[in-house]
Amino acid sequence: MEVTEQLEIARKDSADDGLEMTANENALASSKAKRPYYDDHHQWLGDKCVADVAEAIIGAAYQTGGPGLGLKIVKLLHIPLPFIDSWEDFALKAKNPPPDITDPLEDNVLESVESIVGAKFRLPHILAQALTHTSIRGNDMTCYERLEFLGDAILDFLVIRHIFDLHGRLSPGALTLLKGAMVSNSVLAAISVHYGLHRYLRIDSQSVKNAINQYIPEIEEKRRAEFAAAKEEERPCGQYWLEVEPPKSIADVVESIMGALYVSDGFDLKGVQRMYDTMLRPFYDQHISLKTLSHHPTKILFELFQSQGCQEFQIAKYLHSEGQNLVRCEVEVHNVILTVGIDASPVLAARKASLEALDALEGDPAFMSRVCDCRAKAEQRKAAKRSARTQPGKAETKLPESDEEDLEL
């Protein structure tokens, strides 16, 4: 018996007993009665598809007309932002802590931090808050946590804009890999130590201080070793910070300072953008690319293929024709040889081929769209299954509940 029929019988019985259906029962009956159908003229969109389209429209608006147009589209889509009608309203609604409840900065700290980040703070007490660790007693409301939360979102935005503009034809999967490598705690801690921002943190916890003091010589030694290895192997310097666990506080301070600059400038990105261009962009450009994403380039390469829906790829291994106990590894995509690596060790040959493949894909982002048709074939199979569900002579056929959320336009 259908759920709706059962609820109808229950409703009649409860009515006879002087009872009413609950709101949950009404909602369940309504949702089952309105279950979507598929026919030759309609396709039902899942929530994720609709959300993706809304985000794409906002992104297109920002790319076309900047933050103002982006905000206007957000409002037109009825995304709730109460009391916000223009970008300036964010600054008007914000409440900053007054200077008298924030411990003042020590001598030369303001000038030193401004010199590192390449921007000026209109409200120095906001910088003081950004440098105050939660262990400082009596400053529960003025530690850096709220600014770090804001700076985290700002950093995500600036990184995404950076790699989106830099790699205009790179796939979403590859962009996601790059973005993840550029916003992790590990890389932010390495940036903090590289530029010396950690020296200005105000901390009243011996365990946190000990963790920082232990981390700094470890990460600096890793950096020296990686630079030496990169020079010897004639390759870009990679992510030397991956094998050292950082104290969270020295990663947080990068984001809290970004949040402080944004608030100090009246919710304007100019100062934060200067900090990004002065510190982060040069560091990213030197250390992070598809080719240097990991010490395991084959794993990254396969993740990249899979993120684009490709199912026909492999690293084929052969004995090299020139002998000398050499192994030849070829990265093949749909029977097309993308790159080749040769070495006496099969592992190193595969690594070389994978590194060259990542470099080739970064230089030719359209390669996968030219060669791979796995995603198109998958869509064709889905369309064939949908078509098979429609019975001749019937306008529409009910879909199994488990398949309803998979339908996309």
Side-chain angles (χ1 to χ4, degrees):
M1 183 181 296
E2 289 288 335
V3 174
T4 49
E5 295 176 5
Q6 294 174 349
L7 288 173
E8 180 64 19
I9 293 172
R11 187 192 66 76
K12 291 181 179 178
D13 291 343
S14 61
D16 293 339
D17 295 336
L19 302 174
E20 295 182 355
M21 291 183 69
T22 66
N24 287 339
E25 289 169 335
N26 274 318
L28 179 59
S30 175
S31 65
K32 294 295 181 180
K34 294 179 180 179
R35 181 179 293 172
Y37 291 82
Y38 172 78
D39 58 37
D40 290 336
H41 306 291
H42 300 86
Q43 286 180 298
W44 300 87
L45 301 178
D47 289 345
K48 184 180 184 305
C49 181
V50 175
D52 287 346
V53 170
E55 291 173 342
I57 292 172
I58 296 170
Y62 175 80
Q63 284 292 101
T64 303
L69 183 58
L71 178 60
K72 184 175 181 180
I73 294 300
V74 167
K75 300 294 290 186
L76 289 174
L77 291 174
H78 300 288
I79 297 174
L81 279 177
F83 311 114
I84 299 295
D85 295 311
S86 67
W87 204 256
E88 291 73 20
D89 290 338
F90 287 105
L92 296 175
K93 302 298 180 184
K95 293 183 179 180
N96 299 324
D100 57 352
I101 67 169
T102 304
D103 285 345
L105 292 169
E106 297 178 3
D107 292 342
N108 300 322
V109 169
L110 175 63
E111 294 78 8
S112 298
V113 173
E114 288 179 338
S115 175
I116 292 172
V117 303
K120 298 288 186 180
F121 287 86
R122 297 180 183 177
L123 304 175
H125 71 282
I126 301 296
L127 174 60
Q129 178 183 345
L131 297 174
T132 302
H133 188 260
T134 55
S135 59
I136 299 292
R137 297 182 179 180
N139 288 279
D140 293 340
M141 297 301 294
T142 58
C143 70
Y144 66 55
E145 286 185 327
R146 284 174 58 85
L147 291 173
E148 183 260 331
F149 175 79
L150 177 62
D152 178 76
I154 295 170
L155 178 62
D156 278 358
F157 169 75
L158 293 177
V159 163
I160 290 170
R161 187 169 68 177
H162 174 189
I163 60 179
F164 187 86
D165 293 341
L166 183 64
H167 306 283
R169 299 171 64 187
L170 209 57
S171 72
L175 292 174
T176 300
L177 289 174
L178 285 171
K179 183 244 182 183
M182 296 165 81
V183 300
S184 69
N185 281 338
S186 296
V187 69
L188 293 180
I191 290 172
S192 180
V193 172
H194 179 71
Y195 289 102
L197 284 178
H198 66 285
R199 296 196 299 263
Y200 304 102
L201 265 172
R202 302 192 291 187
I203 301 172
D204 190 21
S205 167
Q206 192 58 47
S207 62
V208 175
K209 290 180 180 178
N210 290 342
I212 293 174
N213 291 334
Q214 180 180 348
Y215 171 78
I216 292 172
E218 289 184 15
I219 196 66
E220 290 180 341
E221 176 58 32
K222 289 286 186 181
R223 181 175 182 271
R224 286 191 291 268
E226 174 61 18
F227 269 77
K231 183 178 181 180
E232 181 179 352
E233 299 169 13
E234 297 181 348
R235 60 170 175 80
C237 185
Q239 301 178 78
Y240 59 87
W241 52 85
L242 291 178
E243 297 177 359
V244 185
E245 185 67 26
K248 187 174 182 296
S249 55
I250 58 176
D252 289 344
V253 72
V254 177
E255 295 175 329
S256 66
I257 291 176
M258 296 186 84
L261 264 176
Y262 187 63
V263 174
S264 179
D265 286 344
F267 286 75
D268 190 293
L269 281 173
K270 291 179 181 178
V272 184
Q273 186 66 60
R274 283 195 294 272
M275 176 179 174
Y276 186 88
D277 292 339
T278 300
M279 292 177 51
L280 285 85
R281 183 190 293 269
F283 191 91
Y284 291 151
D285 289 345
Q286 182 177 14
H287 294 284
I288 299 178
S289 66
L290 283 179
K291 193 173 182 178
T292 63
L293 265 185
S294 174
H295 293 303
H296 305 285
T298 302
K299 178 176 179 290
I300 295 296
L301 180 65
F302 282 11
E303 288 178 355
L304 182 59
F305 286 147
Q306 292 166 356
S307 72
Q308 299 189 55
C310 185
Q311 302 295 323
E312 296 184 29
F313 59 86
Q314 66 170 337
I315 294 184
K317 299 179 181 180
Y318 310 95
L319 288 176
H320 192 44
S321 59
E322 296 181 2
Q324 300 177 354
N325 296 323
L326 295 177
V327 176
R328 175 188 177 93
C329 287
E330 299 176 350
V331 176
E332 299 179 5
V333 184
H334 289 266
N335 297 319
V336 175
I337 298 175
L338 177 60
T339 55
V340 174
I342 300 173
D343 197 277
S345 165
V347 174
L348 292 179
R351 178 184 176 86
K352 288 180 179 179
S354 298
L355 284 170
E356 292 299 324
L358 289 171
D359 194 37
L361 291 173
E362 191 170 12
D364 182 13
F367 173 82
M368 292 301 296
S369 61
R370 294 196 307 269
V371 173
C372 178
D373 59 353
C374 292
R375 185 162 285 171
K377 288 181 178 178
E379 291 299 324
Q380 290 173 2
R381 287 193 295 269
K382 284 184 180 180
K385 289 180 181 179
R386 292 167 183 164
S387 179
R389 293 190 184 109
T390 304
Q391 299 297 324
K394 293 185 179 180
E396 57 189 22
T397 302
K398 194 173 189 179
L399 281 174
E401 184 176 357
S402 61
D403 291 341
E404 290 169 3
E405 295 180 355
D406 295 334
L407 291 178
E408 295 185 357
L409 189 61

